[in-house]
Amino acid sequence: MTSYVTPPAARVAPPRMFGPEFAARPQDVYQALRAAGPVAWAEIAEGVHALVVTGHRAAIDLLTDTATYSKDSRLWEDLAAGRVPQDSPVLALMAFRPSLLYADGERHARLRQAMDDCLARVSQPELHDLTRAHALRLIAGFAQQGHAELMGQYADMLPLLVFTDLLGCPPELTGRMVTGCQGMISAGPAAGQAAADLAQALSEIIAMKNRSPGRDCTSWMLAHPARLSHEEILHQLVVLVGAGTIPTAAWIASGLRLLLSDDDYAGDLTGGAITVRRALEQVLWVRSPMANFSVHYARTATTLHGVPIPAGVPILISHAATGADPALPPDLGYDNRSHLAWSAGPHRCPADSQAAIIAQSAIETLLDRLWDVQLADAEVVNRPGPFHQCPARLAVHFRPQPAHAFAAPTAPTGGTRDEPTDDPRHHRRSPV
């Protein structure tokens, strides 16, 4: 079988989906890809090539055709043959692991059922309360300064803190989980080590919960009737943390950016939950947090909407580009949820409703407490890398708040508690 280290018969180098130029203007790369067809070649890291689907209909057809396409990255020929650099940053998210993300058929169904059942046990009102409690504590850390960098000080931290509680993570491991999770999606060679560090922290949590179960997702996974092995639970939790935190952080930051910069929302923030939810839906269309992912491999050579698809080549869905597909009806509107930000088919994101509660609660809490917050920089550049679409920085300023105004509630000990985390009169319930 022919292996394609580079695109076959390429007359010019394919677009690069990494580096500072892509981070600054990703839309230019998507436009170039779209001009080549609904599926086109791109370089996603130094020396690593893949096919990228930018057509909305083509993406749905691929995501739902489990007979033709597999999620098992052991089919990736160049990786199996040693032609992908061992320190390539894309391997942290693309190399095979025994989790539901890389599984097909009955094995995927078994792992996915365990994931869905555990997430279903998380109370949505309590998740809102948990998020708000952590949000207030983070805001209290910078409220007196009158300025903040909301990506690093707020959006990055909040989902991770929430999910460490949902997993029953003890305080001494929280910092290691935060560092590992953020490093896993970095554009540098340390991404692989960060993934290993995160897995080690999660393995220690599993061992703790095996000895002393609690009301948390780790304990529920251990007790699930599917009888998952230690290794399976470990990689299930890696997916849960990655899917629940990294895109959610980007969603929070992009939602705040939109609300604070778009004239359509200016002066309308008093609309509260309705306005915030509308902005978050728009973000899913125009700035999909996971920009390019849902990696598949054709089992045998095929075609997709007239484009030849070799076997054994990674095919990424551009969740970002499909939302701007010119073939979509022009009057579709952002309230229509046919976007592919959550992917589609059997591998659709398992934590979308939890992410929505966290993102909306995070934004509402910040805008409620820092009511005059404004962006400090007109230009907001993305972080580098092919997979995520996330501001590198989100600098803001606001009127400094006195310390007594931010007596944050005591940090909750888990997302499944029986009691609320703070005064319910301050809560604005999520409609999702």
Side-chain angles (χ1 to χ4, degrees), residues 45-71:
E46 195 69 47
V48 181
H49 292 82
L51 287 164
V52 180
V53 182
T54 58
H56 189 273
R57 183 69 255 174
I60 292 176
D61 289 346
L62 184 152
L63 291 168
T64 55
D65 185 356
T66 57
T68 303
Y69 301 98
S70 169
K71 290 283 291 177

Side-chain angles (χ1 to χ4, degrees), residues 18-167:
F18 64 98
E21 292 185 6
F22 176 67
R25 294 190 59 82
Q27 66 272 18
D28 292 350
V29 173
Y30 300 142
Q31 184 175 353
L33 290 170
R34 190 175 289 113
V39 188
W41 286 96
E43 188 176 8
I44 60 173
E46 195 69 47
V48 181
H49 292 82
L51 287 164
V52 180
V53 182
T54 58
H56 189 273
R57 183 69 255 174
I60 292 176
D61 289 346
L62 184 152
L63 291 168
T64 55
D65 185 356
T66 57
T68 303
Y69 301 98
S70 169
K71 290 283 291 177
D72 190 338
S73 59
R74 290 172 295 187
L75 297 175
W76 186 359
E77 284 196 2
D78 285 344
L79 180 61
R83 288 186 286 265
V84 176
Q86 293 185 359
D87 62 349
S88 178
V90 300
L91 294 182
L93 294 184
M94 290 178 62
F96 177 81
R97 290 178 177 81
S99 77
L100 77 169
L101 189 61
Y102 307 91
D104 299 312
E106 292 183 2
R107 184 167 184 274
H108 172 260
R110 170 176 167 267
L111 295 173
R112 178 59 184 254
Q113 189 63 57
M115 178 75 79
D116 290 344
D117 290 346
C118 291
L119 287 172
R121 296 184 67 171
V122 177
S123 163
Q124 292 194 1
E126 290 177 7
L127 180 58
H128 172 277
D129 295 347
L130 177 66
T131 303
R132 176 176 166 78
H134 278 303
L136 288 171
R137 294 180 64 243
L138 289 173
I139 296 168
F142 54 74
Q144 297 180 67
Q145 301 171 8
H147 61 86
E149 196 285 283
L150 292 181
M151 195 67 245
Q153 291 181 272
Y154 191 69
D156 274 338
M157 292 298 299
L158 182 53
L160 280 166
L161 291 172
V162 172
F163 269 83
T164 55
D165 278 350
L166 294 181
L167 267 59

